[in-house]
Amino acid sequence: MAAPPPAVVAALRAELAARGITEYAVVDHGHDMAAAGAPGIIAWTLVFGNPAAGAKLLAHDLAAAVDIPLRLAVIAAPPECSEIVLRDMRSLLAEDLGELADALTAVLRQLAAAVREDVSPPGV
């Protein structure tokens, strides 16, 4: 998408807040890597979720705790562009939780689509 990563991260955070979704963390990988002497990768991970939905998921399978909360990544794509990366939750959750995985993936896709519309210039 034709928007710099910080703008995409800000738009995602605003969209999460507007939807009443709990934000747990924003990890600035590039900042952390640069501080460790390994600069060059510009990427963020947003960690968020819905505690009530998480409780329902864990009631079905406690091992799903490793897969929640949800995450979206924002990766720099030159010049001044970004990619939003998400993982299909079916790749993380057991097949017997397929419907729930699909619902969670739909939330991720909706968030990404909403932000793409918000930050992309007209005609792009």
Side-chain angles (χ1 to χ4, degrees), residues 25-67:
V26 176
V27 180
D28 182 343
H29 300 288
H31 176 269
D32 295 344
M33 289 176 195
I41 298 174
I42 299 171
W44 285 262
T45 298
L46 285 80
V47 182
F48 56 92
N50 177 306
K56 290 178 184 176
L57 176 60
L58 293 178
H60 288 292
D61 182 3
L62 288 175
V66 75
D67 302 319

Side-chain angles (χ1 to χ4, degrees), residues 72-112:
L72 283 173
V74 176
I75 312 287
E80 290 296 305
C81 293
S82 305
E83 295 290 331
I84 297 175
V85 180
L86 62 97
R87 185 180 311 275
D88 187 317
M89 293 302 290
R90 277 190 178 252
S91 70
L92 300 172
L93 300 175
E95 189 59 36
D96 61 329
L97 296 173
E99 286 184 28
L100 184 53
D102 292 344
L104 294 172
T105 300
V107 169
L108 295 172
R109 292 184 196 280
Q110 290 168 3
L111 285 166

Side-chain angles (χ1 to χ4, degrees), residues 3-43:
V8 175
V9 169
L12 278 168
R13 294 181 80 188
E15 190 67 29
L16 290 169
R19 293 177 182 223
I21 298 173
T22 302
E23 178 185 292
Y24 295 111
V26 176
V27 180
D28 182 343
H29 300 288
H31 176 269
D32 295 344
M33 289 176 195
I41 298 174
I42 299 171

